[in-house]
Structure formats: C-alpha cells, structure tokens
Amino acid sequence: MDPWHKFRRIFYSVGIPPTIWLIAFFLVPLGLIWIFSFGEKVGVVGIDITWTLDNYVRSFNPDILTIFAKSLWLAAVATFICLVIGLPVALGIVYAPNKWKGLLLLGIMLPFWTNLLIRTYALIAVLRTRGYVNFTLEWLDGAARWFLELFGMGGIALAILGERFQALELLYNDNAVILGLVYVHLPFMVLPLYAALERLDRSYLEASLDLGAGHLRTLWNVVVPLALPGIISGLIITFIPALGSFLTPDLLGGPDSAMIATIIERQFKSANDWPFGSALSFLLMYITFGALAIRALMARRRGGDGMGG
Amino acid sequence: MTDGAKTIIGIRSVTKRFNGNVLAVDDVSLDIKSGEFFALLGPSGCGKTTLLRMIAGFEVPSDGSVEIDGQVVDDVPPNKRPVNMVFQSYAVFPHMTVADNVAYGLKMDGVSSSEAKGRVEEALGLVQLPGYGERMPDQLSGGQRQRVALARALVKRPKVLLLDEPLSALDAKLREAMQLELRNLQAKVGITFVMVTHDQDEALSMADRVAVMESGRVRQLAAPRDLYEFPNCRFVADFIGKMNLFEGVVKSSAGSEISVGIDGIGDVRLPFDGSAQGKIGIAIRPEKAMVTADKPSDEDCLSLEGQVTQVAYYGNESHVFVKTASGLDFSVTTQNNERSVVAATNPGDRRWVSWRRKDTLVLAE
Amino acid sequence: MAKRKGLFGRDPAGPLDYLRKWPLLTVMIATFVFLYVPLLTLMAFSFNDSRRNIVWRGFTTEYYGKLFNNTDLMIAFGNSLTIALFSTFFSLILGAMVAILLWRFRFPMKPFYEGTMALPIVIPEICMGVAMLAFFARIGWPNDLVWPISLANITIAHISFTFPFVAVIVRARLAGFNREQEEACRDLGAGDWEVYRDVIIPHMKPGLVAGGLLAFTLSLDDFVITFFTSGPETVTFPVKVYSMVRFSVTPEVNAASTVLIVITVFLTAIAMWLQNKGAEKK
C-alpha cells in the first residue's frame, strides 16, 4: 500500500468523486432526517427545527415502546429459529462430499437472489386461506373422513374433525411474520455459520468422538464453543435486517404485528409526521450500530487471544 | 517380546474405496499383538492413515472387517471403541484448559470428578507436564500440546493407542527426544501403540514391528532389523534406507546358491535360499560396500572397477559415487574414521568397488 | 464377506458424513422444501390455466400475454430497466474508484472512511428510504420532469446504495493483484496513468463485470428505497407488483414475478460465475 501523498493526483482523482457522492447523496440525507428528528411539525408540510427532544421522548410512550419490544421479539425469535435450522444445515454442507458442497451452498443462496417482495408474495400464495397449505390440509381432511366413513366411523370423524373442514388462518398474524422473517433471512445465518465451521479443523470433532462423546455432546462441547464467533456473527447479521424489515410485517402481519419500519413508514406517508418518523429511524439505526459494535468487539477479542488452535 | 502374545487388533481382508472407486486400502490382513509398538510405514497416499482411521472408527471398511480384542467393531462408532487417538494436528481443544482437555474423555465416560481429577494429574505426570492443568493450549509449545494430546488419550486407559504421524510437526531435535520418550512411555504403560509414519527412521527406531505399505497393500511386515537387512521386494529395499539396485536374470539355482546374470556385472553365484526365476532385482547397501584403490584379493568379494564421479561429505561419513566401466552407478558410504582434512577419494579417481557375496540381496519381486 | 452399503447404496457412511444420517438429512430436505416449494409453485402456477390459481387446469402462457399487454406494468418494467442501467453505470465508476482508493492508499482516518463507506450496506433500508424521501422533498426536486430525467431521483438513490457493494467486490478482485506486474510495467517505462490503463484496470475487469451485474440486480430488485422515492409517474416494476400483491394473488402477478426471478437469478449466476473464475485465476 502506498502513502496517499506520494501519488496525490491519482489519490485525488479516485478519492474525490465517490466521497462527494457519499456526502451529497447519503450523508446529507441522513443528516437531514437527523436534524428533522429534533424538529416540530408545523401545519401540513412544514417542519420547524427547534432542537426539541420531544420526538425521542414520544418514542418512549407505551404504544411505541410496545412496538419496539415486539419488533425486537419477532426479530429475535426469527433469528433463533434461523440458528436452529442453520446450524445443522451448515454442518451438513461442510461435511458433504466436495462435489455436493458448492451445489448445496448455491441451493441456499439461490432464493436469496430472488426479489424479497416476490419471496414474500410466494409465501402469501402458499399460506392464505385458499392457499396450497390449506388446500393440502383440506384434501387430507377429506381423505380421513372418507376413510373413517368406510369403516362406519362417521361419528368419530364428526367428533374429531368437526362439521366441515375449517381452513387454518395462517396469514396476517405474528406467526406468519416470524415465518416470513425466517424464510427471507435464513441464508444470512447459514453463510457465516458455514464459513466458521469450514475453518474448524475436523480433527476437533473426531477427537471428541474418539474420547467417547456422542454427536450431540460433540456439537455442544466442541462445535458450538469453537464456532462461537461465527455463530455470534450469524446471529447479528441475521438480526439486523430482520429488525428493520418493512415488507414482511407489512404483507404477512396482522393489524397488531407492526414492526418499527411499519410505524416509520406510517409517519412519512399516512400520518405525515416526519420529525417523529426521523427520530424513530435514528433509534432503529442506533440499535443496528449497537449490534454491529458488539460484533466488531467480539471479532477483536477473538482475534486478540489467539483462538487459532 | 511379542511372540505368542494375543492379537489385540485384527485386520481381516479390509478394503476401503472412496467415492466408490478410489482404492485406498486394498485387501489388507494383519494382526497387531497386545503390548507391541506397531508402525504403519509408507509414502503418502499409501493407505496407512486410512487404515489407522478405520481402527479408530472414522472410516468404515468397504469390505472386510476390523476386530478389536476379538470383537468385530465395524458397527461400533468411534466413541464406543476402546481405542484412542493422538491426532497429527493434536486437536487439543483450544477453548478448554489442559486439565479439561485431559478430563474430557473421562467426563464422557461418567467418571466421577474426584476420580477424574486424580487420573488427570497422574496422566499429566506421565507425559511430564505436572502442574500444567490450568494453562490454556495457546500458552503451550507444539511439543507440550502433543503431550497434552497424549495424556488425553492415555488417561482413558485404552486397549490401543493410535498415533497419526505423531512427530511430523516437531523440529528435528525435539523429534529425536520424543522418539525415545514415546518408546519409554509405551514400555511404562504397557498399552499397544499403533503409529502411522512416513519417516523410516522413526519406524525403525521406535517400533517392535513395522508394516510397510504401498498403494493400499502391505508389502512387508517384519521387525526393523529384518526389514532393513532382508527386504522382500524392490519397493521395500528402495524405500527403507539407501540401496544400490540392479537388474538381473536367473541362470540356474541349486541348493542354497543361485546363478545370476547381472547387467553390467556379469554372471555371478550368490547365496540364496528361496526360489526365483526370470528377472530379479539385485541390491547392495552402500555401507556394505567398500572403495579401494586396488582390486581386493578376497574370493568372497565381488568387485567392479570404475571412476569416482562425486564425493558428498557429511562429516561422520562420505558418500562416494562411482560410475563403473560398464556404465552402472554405484554409491558407497564410507566412514570417516580418521581425523583428516584431506579426502581419501576424489572425483576422477579410478577405484574398485567391492562387497561380499553374502551381503548381496536377491529380490524375487 | 458381505459388502457394506450405506444410504444411497454407496460406501458405508463415516461418522462425520452428516448428510448420510437421517436426522440431519431430514433437516436439510425440510429446509430445501421450505425454501423452494413456495417459489416453485408460484412459478408453476403462472402457467396454470385457471384464475383460482390452486388446482392445475392445464398449461397456458395466457398470463404472460396479458402481462405484455398490461401497459402500466410494461411502463414500470421499462422504468426499472432504465434506472438499473444508469445506476449500474455510475455505481461502477464510483465503486471502482473507492476500490482503488482503499486497496491502494494509506491515508489518515482510513478505518473511519471505510466504515462510513460501508454505511449504505448496513443501515436498514427503511432509514435510507425515508432519508432519500426527506432529501428530495427538502431540496424541492421537481416531480414534473420529462422521462427519463424524471427517474433521476430514484437513480441517484440507487447509486448511493449500490456503489459500496461494487467497491467491495472490485476491491476483493484487486486484492489478488500481483504488484510485480505493475513494477514490471514501470520498469518498461510506463508512468502512473499508463500503469492503470494497461495493467490495473484490465486486472479489475472480472470484478467490474461481477460488480456491475450485482448493482444491476440490486437496483432492479429494490423495493423499499424506491417505494419512498418514486412518484405516481415514476413507478418501478417492484413497486407496481407491490400494489398488485396488496390487492390479491393472481396469475398475472405470478407471471410478473417469474419474469423477475428468472432475470435476477440469471444475472446473479453470471456474476457469481465470473467472480469464481477470477478467484481461480488468482
């Protein structure tokens, strides 16, 4: 690497345009809503910058706090489910035959490349009352009835299955949001886990088995502690976008499954309260930065104490 | 030593194919006796590590079976086998203290923590790391980590200890010290050791018996001395130590003598007990030959005249390379017994290379 | 002795062949079913000859025909492609510059600069979306411009979040550059600019192609940021699909989705392939 002052001309020519762009079209807009967050709404469109903390104070009223708590909860549950699914999947891929490895990783990545909106829509098509899941259930229900009828147990069928098939309400509730978050964010979890496990010398696992531990105890005593940096990284990388999700709760959630992004959007569109929306945006960003800081801190500590093995 | 001892590990016509076709181990059968130090020796890719891993249970034979102490263990997972392994990379868990590492196997066996504590101290004493229990692995040197790996395996009192290239990661000086120490340790604990190595010095100096492997097969199984002095085939003769190898054709064989026509040497009679026909290999160890200015008069010697092409000086010995008039390249190891800065032999000198008939090896294979 | 066969009738499984043990195999298969069944049924039913969209009634491409006759959707698609093309072009230039800057030079506050440059990648999309909305509203961006100038605000927003991605990819490519090539070039008499023209930029090429394709798909796919910057006259494909999705599940939406899936998967696959090829050469 060269010191910048030795090649000033090149340094300035490649440095100035992107820096100006970043400032003008990214940092200035962010700065603008940061300033807005200390403003007051005047009339329909006006904003008066009074450096009030009111918007932040309002964020701590119970309604908003509930939504924050709920967002954190939904994102956390989804992240945890991603971990529970992602760990065995990553482990399976790492120890798969070489020719399968790439294909399986690609298989995990491929849905990730398709449009977020479309993936969410695909879930709606599957889960809605007249969707494939309910359709399959109805068919199973019909088959069960027919089967019981055949043996003259229509009464039992009526008792267990009820008068007629009731479609499950799988959409527009918190569970649908969690399912959607898992669906969308699973690759975020699998990839760092894969990277961490791939780096893990397989003799550690073999040594553990050799010393008498079963697979589960090996997983808990050896794999999880040694892959911990990767696991934490995966948790944070999954949690951050899950927390900031807008489309998933918007399309899959019910009236009370609003997440932070939902109320931010509301302030900027229907409620037209930009200062409050700006304050909420910054609170969301601060949480994000906090999570990233934890990750960086972990990475530094791991790097520092020579966990190479 | 081990004669008549019972078989602790029986390899019964074991074959291992990877991905359905790559043949790693090819129909190997051998018995490892209780209490011996056994070495699997061979070049990389010869299947020795695969064989060791099949004993440990990390690979399952495609064909044949492995017996440990009389029991077929093919369906027994590694964690249920009464053998333990010292890995090439040691695989000392970096997130546990030395004591926790050593106690790990005991914990898995449900040994009470008070008993485990005593056994861990004992095991650490055995590998000369007493009082190291509270250290973390990254505070230890490579040699110390290896001792931890040893203690961790030995503390479980396995029927067999498996060692995968145990000395390959150590520097030369430490390796030599460790060779002796491992030998002593084995004698002390009386556990069967099975070691995989590609280093012939290691195998010869440490093991009671050595199986030399090549391309998935065992070429010779013998005690170190027999292996060195009486290799049974060209591969073993060439792989173990240095060797002058020539091609010959059997003319006739009668009783304990054989008449051979050797390319570049001519027809000679050699003592030989077995039977051989057609093309054979003739081998002479460099240190069993001599370089002299005049033709030796001894009738029991075979001799060739040639020109010295190169002399490599190693301090204690020198390697003299001679090209004979018939075009053979011959290397002779000479001991530098006298203190002198003047070489007795120099490139360009005309010399006689000679060796005794009985030191000539006839290799049917 | 009997040959042992494992699952799939091949060699017996070793203890770490997890995929050949049923608990893990079950999780793996279930995961892939979970990931793919919704998308595949969506694509399959875009060819279903039934509005009810649930029972297979035979193959038809009718909805693709309808798609192409749907003027609103086609305009939205045109907008999306235009925006993606322009934002790819500019984010390639800016991204390549950042890549060279960070790969090549040591300068004060570099970690801080790198962190700031990564911000568009890490901050929640919604925050960036509302920031862009506020920004364009505040500077009084006119919304009665002629096409395609009217798409400039969306394009600007897209460039802001795509060029850091391009920078990451191109920089990874540059990391594999052998400085001796450059020294050889100088040794043969090249100056600073010739070195870039003749050695460094050609080396960057696979990274630029991969980065460009990524920028294109990111722009084509983006919904959230576009949602806040687009006006009634500047609707993009995802925004249009969003309004259709809100309304109901129809075969037209399935067809539109399928088109977008095929485009993005295809482009990303090319990008990945190029990137791997670049990595192998290294």
Side-chain angles (χ1 to χ4, degrees), chain B residues 167-179 199 202:
Chain B
L167 307 176
S168 64
L170 303 179
D171 60 58
K173 276 254 162 63
L174 195 56
R175 194 180 308 156
E176 212 161 299
M178 220 37 211
Q179 281 178 16
D199 184 319
E202 240 169 76

Side-chain angles (χ1 to χ4, degrees), chain A residues 67 70-71 74 171-178 245-246 248-260 262 266:
Chain A
I67 290 173
K70 184 152 196 175
S71 299
L74 291 176
L171 269 183
Y172 312 122
N173 53 45
D174 293 350
N175 293 335
V177 176
I178 290 173
S245 287
F246 167 68
T248 314
D250 185 55
L251 291 177
L252 298 177
D256 60 345
S257 355
M259 288 179 69
I260 304 171
T262 324
R266 230 173 264 161

Side-chain angles (χ1 to χ4, degrees), chain B residues 17 20 57-58 60-64, chain C residues 1-4 11-15:
Chain B
R17 271 175 235 99
F58 299 128
V60 183
S62 310
D63 252 315
Chain C
M1 211 157 304
K3 277 195 170 190
R4 263 174 298 278
D11 286 346

